[in-house]
Amino acid sequence: MLISRFAPSPTGLLHLGHAYSAFLTQNLVENNSGSLLLRIEDIDKTRCTSDFEKQIYRDLKWLGIHWNDTPIRQSDRLSCYSYYLKKLAKKGLTYGCDCTRSDIKRALSAPNTPRKNSNTTVYPGTCREKNLSLDNQNIRLNIVKSIAYLKKNTLNFCEEGTGPNGESGTQVVSLDSLAKNYGDFIIARRDINTSYHLSVTVDDACQKITHVSRGNDLFYITPMHILLQKLLDFNTPKYVHHPLITDGHGHKLSKSKGSESILNFRESGKDLETIKSMLVCNSN
Ligand code: GLU
């Protein structure tokens, strides 16, 4: 059975981009007699609030999104992430890192930043040989050791949607380019002992997700998730990346830039059909 998920972070009010993603995921599931799961991605306690979480349920209900089972909340699952983190550590694939705060911020705060062709700095490996304790440190994945562990040159995943540059079908990721583009990325942040990358990979496996449906701003970080799946002996789901909803200037909608929320639209009297027609006009 096809199982997909909608995985919002309660860091603000849902906007049209979330509505679009939720509708597409629901369509995918309905067209395949599948199941839609809801996951609240709230590991970043500095940005997530329970009020935003409550509003997510209200907005999704108003949008007519129906999910199966009880939603899971990542903040309830920290011990599960810690279990898998220890597995990676036992394989000798991780190391503690005490580098600066700005390194840490960059690695964790921007899961939505396409890396390909960007000037994002790759961690230079300063702490790789320091043998720092894994307790109370940021923990990085040693990418060279991970590649050696897998004994492969490439990883594959199946793209059933499209990436930002029209990528579709089987995607072959060279492990050398993965090492070059991502370096030793943080898989557990000192304060919460997990990261977006680790949590999303573990949850997709634990929820038995067969199709990951999400915005194509996450397409270029997918190789990091495929790598973690292989290292943890998880199945690789299919990916269905979709285009993003943009504003009148072609910019991606974002909570932090104050894009108009579903709640505002609703309170100003817009009905569901109007919202749906706005999505058709703004999809890119
Ligand atoms: N929580 C992420 C977001 O709200 C989605 C992550 C994902 O779908 O993998 O952007």
Side-chain angles (χ1 to χ4, degrees):
M1 183 174 68
L2 183 150
I3 305 177
S4 194
R5 55 25 170 220
F6 182 61
S9 299
T11 53
L13 295 170
L14 298 188
H15 52 60
L16 283 181
H18 298 104
Y20 185 61
S21 191
F23 285 135
L24 290 179
T25 308
Q26 178 151 283
N27 284 348
L28 173 74
V29 162
E30 283 179 352
N31 292 338
N32 292 279
S33 312
S35 176
L36 172 62
L37 304 181
L38 179 61
R39 179 196 307 155
I40 304 296
E41 299 206 328
D42 63 343
I43 50 169
D44 192 342
K45 282 294 168 200
T46 57
R47 296 169 62 224
C48 298
T49 72
S50 63
D51 283 348
F52 285 136
E53 182 184 334
K54 285 182 199 136
Q55 194 55 43
I56 287 175
Y57 302 124
R58 287 194 282 263
D59 286 347
L60 290 179
K61 282 193 178 139
W62 184 75
L63 289 167
I65 302 296
H66 310 288
W67 56 90
N68 300 93
D69 298 342
T70 310
I72 67 166
R73 190 186 287 120
Q74 288 190 326
S75 60
D76 293 335
R77 294 176 44 73
L78 298 179
S79 57
C80 183
Y81 310 137
S82 159
Y83 171 81
Y84 286 104
L85 184 61
K86 284 195 188 115
K87 280 197 156 196
L88 294 172
K90 274 196 195 129
K91 294 177 196 223
L93 304 179
T94 61
Y95 64 89
C97 168
D98 62 1
C99 287
T100 64
R101 226 183 149 76
S102 54
D103 273 336
I104 299 156
K105 260 196 166 160
R106 186 191 65 237
L108 256 174
S109 67
N112 300 12
T113 309
R115 296 289 184 103
K116 204 177 189 182
N117 305 328
S118 79
N119 295 323
T120 315
T121 329
V122 167
Y123 179 68
T126 323
C127 293
R128 199 180 289 138
E129 307 302 333
K130 284 191 191 165
N131 242 331
L132 296 174
S133 148
L134 295 181
D135 297 330
N136 303 317
Q137 299 283 8
N138 293 306
I139 300 176
R140 291 183 181 274
L141 188 72
N142 185 321
I143 200 100
V144 171
K145 280 194 183 166
S146 300
I147 292 172
Y149 175 86
L150 291 177
K151 299 194 182 78
K152 283 183 179 178
N153 298 322
T154 56
L155 296 176
N156 293 351
F157 70 95
C158 176
E159 177 57 60
E160 292 200 345
T162 42
N165 290 305
E167 298 90 342
S168 68
T170 303
Q171 304 296 303
V172 181
V173 182
S174 124
L175 286 172
D176 283 346
S177 72
L178 204 143
K180 208 166 102 213
N181 291 335
Y182 305 101
D184 294 348
F185 58 92
I186 291 184
I187 51 165
R189 210 168 80 177
R190 184 193 339 244
D191 56 340
I192 47 174
N193 209 30
T194 187
S195 64
Y196 161 71
H197 300 300
L198 180 64
S199 310
V200 85
T201 303
V202 167
D203 287 344
D204 283 338
C206 292
Q207 291 191 293
K208 298 191 171 32
I209 300 300
T210 63
H211 289 68
V212 172
S213 162
R214 61 186 183 188
N216 69 15
D217 51 338
L218 298 171
F219 177 83
Y220 291 122
I221 53 155
T222 304
M224 295 152 105
H225 303 169
I226 310 295
L227 175 65
L228 288 174
Q229 288 156 10
K230 297 290 172 209
L231 296 173
L232 290 167
D233 297 316
F234 293 153
N235 289 333
T236 292
K238 292 188 167 146
Y239 286 83
V240 193
H241 286 99
H242 59 72
L244 301 180
I245 294 289
T246 51
D247 63 16
H249 309 285
H251 299 129
K252 180 190 154 193
L253 302 184
S254 121
K255 295 173 203 164
S256 56
K257 290 188 192 129
S259 296
E260 200 169 350
S261 65
I262 301 296
L263 180 63
N264 279 351
F265 283 126
R266 185 161 82 239
E267 287 183 345
S268 67
K270 295 224 170 22
D271 63 12
L272 195 50
E273 285 319 304
T274 311
I275 300 287
K276 286 188 178 169
S277 61
M278 290 167 78
L279 293 177
V280 176
C281 299
N282 291 293
S283 61
N284 219 316

